[in-house]
């Protein structure tokens, strides 16, 4: 298939912000793509060669791409750099520079998707000495044969800035439209995706083996399952009511979520964002290998850093020190050892447990985990009254936890892969005059700093996730809570995500000085959620001409374990707004009663 055909569709997609139109263009593309190429086309469209959990990245730096471009166009690197400086987008720069060459008709063989993908793959696999040369050679030859539009795509793709604004959910919609169109088909496709986190694979199975195969889609060890998520409530009574009067209470540990895949003693650890983090936690992998009594298993739990001298649990920020680390892993593991608290089991020796009710899953978990000092099963209790629930809450908090997780044990208490629902409810430390919970927000832009902050950013523009529209809506400017050191580093941290215009999936009326690809998630604490005409989060839902904004927002931490789609949703912000109003009203009523 010609690359040109793909680019035509990308151009149409770039020209719209309407999800429904994007879906139609994608569905048409899926229909006309040969079966054996669909997996590749889907991955290319998502700006990747393989799903993120494989860790395969093309690894082309901007400098290298500019060099290849200069060679192909027969111009100096300096000239490419200057053009790029003016345009601010390497794709557009490539298009412009190669247009001049195109007029001279110097490009030759038409590019096929197969060839381009193969080239990208070779670049990704090139490592060690000589890798740079290999990458330059391949990229130059692709630019040589690309027309200007294709060059724009190639340049953006290799530096990881494809920016089509398409997320996984839109591709699932398009697959459903292309393969039947019914709601039922969409549900089966989504379940398959939730079980393997690999849309390309789902698309291939659909194309080659049909929907019946998707209906029977099976879990595979090594493919992370998309995590089940919790709703939140702020009173014990509401929680018990939602859970039909009985709650399976577990400590809510303040660490990082880890999904463990075990096969014949080989252990892989996946983060909440489904990245393979095994090499960052070799101690945890070893401890789990020693504790699991099964040939194959997938279990989930929370990794919590502990003080090596006292065994006391340390907060999330401490375990976060160990995330993303490539060097000194063993040393840091000694300083900050991690205890793994298992809380769920999803698969054991060929049996899928995701549709099994919670109590049965817990029973299975206790059978396959031999507890040690480093691998434990989460502490649990059953609560039938709000007094009990509050008691367990205080117990959990005094034992160093964030609060409790209250889980349903009804017959329908399955593991809802990839969904947030009321089968799990989180209940965190009580309301203390501030918003009870923090929000995880996505940085979508920044404002330049003044005075002491000149040369860096003065504030970031933050957004909540709009699940319905699959986009990010602004909610506040965030300038507090950063250390001086953090502040200095901000432009560097965000550099890989800089883009010259507002991103297609961003919805805001604010004019930032710098725009970002929505990627980095920050945990933010605030005093209150207020109505504001400036921000688009929940616009028009509570009041006609107003959205929701945060009052006195401040940074708590970088949530490197979360992807932007796992940020706090607009629906959650609205719920938090209502429950905050309820707490304030109740407090006011109490004061009136007491006086
Ligand atoms: P938060 O930011 O409040 O930790 P979250 O958005 O990361 O929440 P939620 O699904 O809303 O994720 O809350 C559940 C999270 O709590 C899980 O992702 C997991 O990391 C953590 N957790 C700690 N203890 C437990 C437990 N016993 N059962 C389930 N999740 C737990």
């Amino acid at each position: 298939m010609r690359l040109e055909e793909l680019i035509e569709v990308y151009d149409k997609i770039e020209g719209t912000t309407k999800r429904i139109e994007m879906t139609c263009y994608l569905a048409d593309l899926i229909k006309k793509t040969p079966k054996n190429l669909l997996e590749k086309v889907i991955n290319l469209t998502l700006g990747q060669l393989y799903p993120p959990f494989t860790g395969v990245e093309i690894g082309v730096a901007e400098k290298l791409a500019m060099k290849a471009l200069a060679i192909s166009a027969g111009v100096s690197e300096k000239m490419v750099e200057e053009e790029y400086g003016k345009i601010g987008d390497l794709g557009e720069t490539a298009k412009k520079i190669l247009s001049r060459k195109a007029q001279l008709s110097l490009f030759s063989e038409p590019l096929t998707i197969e060839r381009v993908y193969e080239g990208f793959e070779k670049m990704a696999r090139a490592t060690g000495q000589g890798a740079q040369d290999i990458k330059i050679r391949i990229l130059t030859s692709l630019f040589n044969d690309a027309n200007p539009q294709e060059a724009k795509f190639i340049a953006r793709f290799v530096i990881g800035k494809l920016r089509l604004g398409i997320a996984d959910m839109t591709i699932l919609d398009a697959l459903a439209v292309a393969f039947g169109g019914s709601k039922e088909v969409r549900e089966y496709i989504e379940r398959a995706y939730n079980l393997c986190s690999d849309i390309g694979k789902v698309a291939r199975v659909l194309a080659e083996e049909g929907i019946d195969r998707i209906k029977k889609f099976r879990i595979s060890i090594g493919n992370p399952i998309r995590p089940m998520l919790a709703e939140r409530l702020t009173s014990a009574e509401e929680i018990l009511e939602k859970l039909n009067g009985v709650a399976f209470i577990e400590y809510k540990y303040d660490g990082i979520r880890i999904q463990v895949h075990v096969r014949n003693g080989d252990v892989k650890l996946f983060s909440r964002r489904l990245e393979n983090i095994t090499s960052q936690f070799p101690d945890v992998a070893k401890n789990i290998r020693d504790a699991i009594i099964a040939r194959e298993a997938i279990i989930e739990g929370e990794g919590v850093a502990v003080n090596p001298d006292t065994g006391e649990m340390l907060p999330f920020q401490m375990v976060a020190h160990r995330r993303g680390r490539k060097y000194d892993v063993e040393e840091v593991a000694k300083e900050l050892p991690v205890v793994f608290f298992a809380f769920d089991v999803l698969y054991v020796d060929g049996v899928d447990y995701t549709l099994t009710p919670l109590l049965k899953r817990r029973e299975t978990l206790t059978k396959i985990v031999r507890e040690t000092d480093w691998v434990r099963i989460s502490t649990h209790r059953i609560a039938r009254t709000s007094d009990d629930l509050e008691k367990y809450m205080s117990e959990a908090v005094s034992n160093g936890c964030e609060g409790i997780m209250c889980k349903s044990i009804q017959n329908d208490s399955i593991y809802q892969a990839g969904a947030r629902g009321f089968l799990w409810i989180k209940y965190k430390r009580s309301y203390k005059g501030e918003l009870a919970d923090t929000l995880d927000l996505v940085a979508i832009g920044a404002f330049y700093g003044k005075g002491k902050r000149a040369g860096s950013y003065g504030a970031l523009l933050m957004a909540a996730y709009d699940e319905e529209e699959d986009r990010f809506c602004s909610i506040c400017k965030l300038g507090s809570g950063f250390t001086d050191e953090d502040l200095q580093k901000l432009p560097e941290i965000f550099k890989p995500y800089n883009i010259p215009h507002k991103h297609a999936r961003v919805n805001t009326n604010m004019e930032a000085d710098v725009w970002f690809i929505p990627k980095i998630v920050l945990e933010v604490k605030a005093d209150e959620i207020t109505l504001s005409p400036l921000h688009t989060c929940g616009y028009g839902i509570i009041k006609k001409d107003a959205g929701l904004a945060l009052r006195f927002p401040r940074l708590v931490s970088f949530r490197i374990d979360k992807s932007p789609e796992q940020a706090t949703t607009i629906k959650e912000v609205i719920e938090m707004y209502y429950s905050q109003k309820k707490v304030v009203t109740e407090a006011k009523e109490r004061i009136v009663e007491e006086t």
Side-chain angles (χ1 to χ4, degrees):
M1 186 174 173
R2 296 268 292 268
L3 180 65
E4 224 170 28
E5 293 178 68
L6 194 61
I7 308 294
E8 271 167 28
V9 182
Y10 290 171
D11 276 345
K12 287 195 211 154
I13 290 175
E14 259 196 304
T16 179
T17 52
K18 297 203 180 74
R19 190 171 164 191
I20 202 137
E21 283 179 14
M22 284 186 191
T23 312
C24 291
Y25 297 142
L26 281 170
D28 289 344
L29 173 66
I30 291 168
K31 283 190 215 155
K32 71 174 187 201
T33 302
K35 285 181 187 174
N36 63 350
L37 210 56
L38 190 57
E39 182 167 7
K40 290 182 175 134
V41 164
I42 295 287
N43 277 320
L44 288 177
T45 306
L46 286 167
Q48 62 196 24
L49 293 173
Y50 292 100
F53 66 82
T54 57
V56 178
E57 278 179 17
I58 201 159
V60 169
E62 285 185 357
K63 264 230 146 336
L64 193 147
M66 285 195 266
K67 189 164 183 184
L69 191 53
I71 300 175
S72 171
V75 297
S76 70
E77 276 176 61
K78 191 158 172 280
M79 184 211 152
V80 177
E81 251 172 65
E82 278 171 9
E83 282 291 341
Y84 180 38
K86 277 188 251 158
I87 301 176
D89 173 344
L90 199 61
E92 292 294 348
T93 310
K95 184 176 159 187
K96 184 167 173 201
I97 291 183
L98 288 176
S99 301
R100 294 175 198 149
K101 184 175 146 186
Q103 282 160 6
L104 303 171
S105 329
L106 286 179
F107 65 91
S108 47
E109 244 181 281
L111 283 175
T112 61
I113 296 177
E114 291 87 335
R115 172 166 166 218
V116 173
Y117 190 92
E118 196 189 319
F120 288 168
E121 220 180 14
K122 280 192 189 142
M123 286 195 251
R125 289 194 199 290
T127 50
Q129 250 196 353
Q132 302 291 325
D133 291 341
I134 297 177
K135 287 181 185 178
I136 291 188
R137 199 160 24 80
I138 299 172
L139 194 51
T140 310
S141 101
L142 290 178
F143 279 140
N144 282 346
D145 289 334
N147 67 32
Q149 278 298 104
E150 292 170 336
K152 174 172 127 183
F153 158 76
I154 293 171
R156 283 184 177 173
F157 189 95
V158 295
I159 61 163
K161 289 190 179 175
L162 187 59
R163 295 207 317 252
L164 285 176
I166 294 174
D168 297 4
M169 288 303 142
T170 313
I171 304 244
L172 293 184
D173 286 345
L175 282 171
V177 172
F179 290 93
S182 73
K183 197 162 163 253
E184 206 199 355
V185 166
R186 172 71 170 78
E187 276 166 18
Y188 282 121
I189 294 175
E190 183 161 351
R191 173 153 169 84
Y193 170 56
N194 285 335
L195 292 185
C196 72
S197 310
D198 182 346
I199 305 200
K201 178 174 172 177
V202 174
R204 173 170 46 81
V205 174
L206 248 177
E208 289 179 354
E209 299 175 64
I211 187 72
D212 284 339
R213 189 78 199 165
I214 290 290
K215 286 184 189 166
K216 293 190 218 123
F217 201 87
R218 289 169 62 87
I219 289 172
S220 335
I221 301 274
N223 272 63
I225 297 171
R226 298 186 71 235
M228 170 168 182
L229 300 173
E231 284 285 353
R232 78 177 62 141
L233 286 174
T234 49
S235 86
E237 289 78 12
E238 275 176 300
I239 294 174
L240 280 170
E241 200 187 312
K242 265 274 185 248
L243 298 179
N244 283 336
V246 42
F248 188 90
I249 309 280
E250 288 172 50
Y251 281 7
K252 186 175 191 312
Y253 299 96
D254 194 10
I256 58 163
R257 184 168 183 160
I258 303 179
Q259 191 177 98
V260 184
H261 288 227
V262 182
R263 173 183 279 153
N264 296 332
D266 174 50
V267 176
K268 284 198 175 70
L269 310 179
F270 293 100
S271 71
R272 194 180 182 297
R273 297 181 67 157
L274 312 178
E275 296 143 330
N276 188 331
I277 51 169
T278 320
S279 62
Q280 295 154 37
F281 296 94
D283 49 333
V284 178
K286 179 185 177 304
N287 294 336
I288 294 177
R289 181 167 46 241
D290 297 344
I292 295 284
I293 326 165
R295 200 175 64 77
E296 286 186 340
I298 301 179
I299 63 170
E300 269 196 336
E302 192 85 349
V304 183
V306 293
N307 178 325
D309 302 323
T310 62
E312 178 200 9
M313 287 196 263
L314 302 172
F316 166 76
Q317 283 80 353
M318 301 309 282
V319 71
H321 276 304
R322 292 194 48 187
R323 279 282 279 116
R325 187 173 283 277
K326 289 201 181 118
Y327 310 103
D328 308 331
V329 174
E330 309 278 335
E331 286 75 10
V332 184
K334 283 192 196 113
E335 282 162 34
L336 284 173
V338 167
V339 175
F340 178 76
F341 291 93
F343 56 70
D344 220 322
V345 59
L346 314 183
Y347 180 85
V348 181
D349 291 334
V351 182
D352 177 343
Y353 280 91
T354 55
L355 299 176
T356 306
L358 179 68
L359 285 182
K360 180 81 189 142
R361 300 207 302 278
R362 291 287 300 202
E363 196 191 310
T364 310
L365 187 65
T366 52
K367 281 192 195 143
I368 64 156
V369 175
R370 188 176 28 218
E371 285 193 84
T372 65
D373 285 350
W374 298 104
V375 178
R376 315 252 283 273
I377 290 179
S378 61
T379 304
H380 69 278
R381 314 253 185 268
I382 297 276
R384 291 177 196 277
T385 65
S386 39
D387 280 354
D388 277 349
L389 203 142
E390 293 292 359
K391 194 170 88 197
Y392 301 147
M393 169 75 161
S394 333
E395 183 193 302
V397 170
S398 57
N399 280 328
C401 293
E402 262 192 306
I404 49 178
M405 294 294 293
C406 308
K407 300 184 179 176
S408 166
I409 51 170
Q410 308 296 318
N411 290 338
D412 65 352
S413 58
I414 57 167
Y415 183 93
Q416 285 178 314
R420 192 183 284 284
F422 281 100
L423 290 176
W424 287 9
I425 302 170
K426 55 183 169 184
Y427 186 38
K428 296 208 202 169
R429 288 178 204 107
S430 60
Y431 183 81
K432 293 193 182 75
E434 305 173 308
L435 269 185
D437 206 350
T438 54
L439 293 91
D440 297 318
L441 302 174
V442 186
I444 52 171
F447 301 88
Y448 291 127
K450 298 193 185 81
K452 228 177 84 182
R453 295 186 174 188
S456 180
Y457 298 147
L460 299 175
L461 182 59
M462 306 300 297
Y465 179 50
D466 178 351
E467 263 178 317
E468 308 245 303
E469 296 293 327
D470 188 25
R471 61 184 182 175
F472 300 91
C473 299
S474 71
I475 183 166
C476 69
K477 277 166 95 172
L478 177 68
S480 300
F482 295 93
T483 61
D484 287 347
E485 200 192 337
D486 277 348
L487 263 181
Q488 288 309 320
K489 281 196 222 140
L490 282 181
E492 201 50 40
I493 295 175
F494 282 96
K495 195 162 167 231
Y497 310 109
N498 279 189
I499 45 173
H501 312 285
K502 185 158 76 180
H503 191 272
R505 288 172 71 202
V506 161
N507 174 21
T508 181
N509 298 327
M510 307 284 280
E511 270 310 320
D513 295 323
V514 185
W515 292 106
F516 304 142
I517 297 173
K519 261 276 171 347
I520 295 194
V521 179
L522 306 181
E523 184 181 4
V524 176
K525 178 113 191 121
D527 279 8
E528 206 187 329
I529 300 176
T530 54
L531 290 167
S532 152
L534 294 178
H535 289 289
T536 47
C537 171
Y539 201 87
I541 294 184
I542 290 164
K543 191 163 171 258
K544 207 171 139 257
D545 304 324
L548 291 169
L550 298 185
R551 190 162 156 258
F552 296 138
R554 53 222 177 256
L555 175 80
V556 177
S557 64
F558 276 71
R559 287 297 307 251
I560 45 172
D561 58 324
K562 279 201 166 183
S563 68
E565 289 80 12
Q566 291 168 340
T568 303
T569 59
I570 292 190
K571 193 169 143 245
E572 288 179 277
V573 178
I574 293 169
E575 279 161 11
M576 289 168 88
Y577 174 80
Y578 282 123
S579 69
Q580 137 202 300
K581 282 192 70 151
K582 194 164 150 227
V583 175
V584 172
T585 319
E586 282 170 2
K588 279 187 191 151
E589 281 168 6
R590 255 199 319 276
I591 294 167
V592 173
E593 273 169 27
E594 282 164 12
T595 47

